[in-house]
Amino acid sequence: MTLRRLAPTLLALLVASPAATSAFGLVLPPRSVGRLSRRPTPIHTVIEAGGVDDEAPSDAGSVEEEAAALEEAAAEEADAAAAEGFVEAASLLGVDALAPPDVVTDSPASGTVDGSASSAREELKSRIFAACAAADRGFAASPSDREAIEGLLDEISFLSPIDDATRGVSDGTDDAPLRACWRLVYTSASDVSTLAANPISQLGGIYQDARELPVIVNVIDTFPRVLANLPPSVAATFATSSRIKVRTVARPRSASRVGLSFTGVGFEVTNVLGQKLPDWLPAPPMVDLPQLGLGVQRQIFQVPDDVDPRDAESNPSYFDIRYLDENFLVISQGSPGGMFAAVKVDDLAE
């Protein structure tokens, strides 16, 4: 059988065979199959039509050239399909920054990098929230629980999208990243966790209210522990809660450190026997705390006269912002130490 008669037959078999078009799951696009299914025009037909002269190439040459061209085109489209499939698989796995094999990305697009970091942040936050809920905000956490949770908090701190977290703290500008009401979801600070051991009262919501910067108010809601042992319908009837407030004034010490001066404390009852106190009843005023002069503070923290003692490294009244975005905050405090994680809420609970 001559090459002219053999080539169309081989091409027809290639197109008809499923293994040829779907090997390893790489199905060729319909346009490639269409090109492969076209039979080459017999050379004698072209000669009889007067389309070529005596120097026209032989049948074998034309068939080989067209077959080579079709093979090259099919190979290119198969490579493109493979690359497209790799990128799609990486996207489904949430790894948007990956590039298909043999593709060099000297400088990835910022959008791709940001998308990958955002996916990593959301995945970590989901794991953090689940772990914090299981550990009752850290109050029921075992040492291994704390190690696991704080490992996640350390991991997400490297992905914080805000570099100047203390921007606007001193003057309370509207675009200050910290300006919000934050509700605690985890703590390892001993000054807060020991409150959960109180045999009389149970802890409710714990907040850091930074909506009126530079003033930051720490809020702790409590209710009688006995109510926690009652059925919800009965507990609602006798619900009584109170609120403790500690007022501070914040000042930025660096792009991530916030210094604090404690200026007042307060206590108020918010609900009695299931009823919220009327708005016309004024809340008790906060009690101002005595303030030490800067000279006395310099002596306490042992800093020279040209250094503000409120910014001294030896002054433990501060917290470091480890992570901050539009709805999640992680901080570590100076003394007595410990970490806090909080989510953004619209307001204090009523």
Side-chain angles (χ1 to χ4, degrees):
M1 182 180 292
T2 64
L3 181 59
R4 176 172 60 82
R5 295 179 180 178
L6 181 61
T9 303
L10 292 176
L11 290 173
L13 290 174
L14 178 64
V15 173
S17 173
T21 57
S22 61
F24 302 102
L26 297 176
V27 180
L28 297 182
R31 59 181 181 274
S32 299
V33 176
R35 283 205 298 268
L36 286 172
S37 62
R38 290 201 303 266
R39 296 182 62 182
T41 303
I43 192 66
H44 62 80
T45 303
V46 179
I47 295 176
E48 291 175 357
V52 297
D53 55 22
D54 294 339
E55 297 180 356
S58 65
D59 290 357
S62 297
V63 172
E64 289 175 353
E65 290 174 1
E66 184 169 356
L70 291 175
E71 183 180 355
E72 182 179 356
E76 291 177 354
E77 292 185 3
D79 290 342
E84 183 179 355
F86 183 90
V87 173
E88 183 178 0
S91 177
L92 291 174
L93 290 172
V95 191
D96 298 333
L98 282 180
D102 301 327
V103 175
V104 179
T105 53
D106 293 332
S107 55
S110 59
T112 301
V113 175
D114 292 344
S116 178
S118 177
S119 298
R121 285 192 289 265
E122 294 306 313
E123 192 271 338
L124 276 171
K125 285 196 287 186
S126 296
R127 294 168 60 189
I128 289 169
F129 296 155
C132 293
D136 187 18
R137 297 179 291 179
F139 300 134
S142 66
S144 60
D145 291 335
R146 292 191 186 279
E147 182 178 3
I149 293 173
E150 297 195 7
L152 293 172
L153 296 178
D154 287 337
E155 187 175 350
I156 201 173
S157 66
F158 293 101
L159 299 174
S160 183
I162 299 176
D163 295 328
D164 52 346
T166 61
R167 183 182 74 249
V169 166
S170 58
D171 49 9
T173 56
D174 292 338
D175 64 342
L178 191 62
R179 185 188 181 98
C181 185
W182 304 95
R183 180 165 182 161
L184 183 83
V185 295
Y186 172 79
T187 184
S188 59
S190 60
D191 56 335
V192 177
S193 59
T194 53
L195 296 176
N198 190 315
I200 298 175
S201 63
Q202 177 95 2
L203 293 179
I206 300 175
Y207 306 86
Q208 185 181 74
D209 190 353
R211 291 174 291 182
E212 300 294 335
L213 291 172
V215 175
I216 297 178
V217 180
N218 297 324
V219 179
I220 300 177
D221 289 341
T222 65
F223 59 91
R225 185 173 291 274
V226 66
L227 294 178
N229 299 321
L230 299 177
S233 58
V234 177
T237 304
F238 297 98
T240 300
S241 59
S242 57
R243 177 165 289 166
I244 303 170
K245 294 182 178 181
V246 178
R247 186 183 64 216
T248 66
V249 175
R251 54 183 285 124
R253 293 195 193 178
S254 68
S256 60
R257 177 166 291 186
V258 177
L260 297 173
S261 297
F262 293 84
T263 61
V265 294
F267 176 86
E268 62 181 279
V269 176
T270 55
N271 291 276
V272 176
L273 298 178
Q275 300 296 319
K276 181 183 176 182
L277 295 184
D279 294 335
W280 54 263
L281 187 66
M286 298 190 73
V287 178
D288 293 333
L289 295 175
Q291 301 297 301
L292 297 177
L294 295 182
V296 176
Q297 293 186 50
R298 288 190 180 94
Q299 294 180 3
I300 294 174
F301 302 121
Q302 299 181 350
V303 295
D305 293 343
D306 59 345
V307 174
D308 192 320
R310 294 171 296 181
D311 300 330
E313 287 293 330
S314 54
N315 186 340
S317 299
Y318 68 86
F319 62 83
D320 289 325
I321 300 176
R322 304 281 299 277
Y323 179 91
L324 176 61
D325 64 18
E326 66 278 2
N327 56 30
F328 189 50
L329 170 69
V330 178
I331 64 175
S332 58
Q333 69 175 358
S335 177
M339 297 186 71
F340 296 82
V343 295
K344 183 178 179 180
V345 295
D346 293 332
D347 204 350
L348 304 176
E350 295 185 355

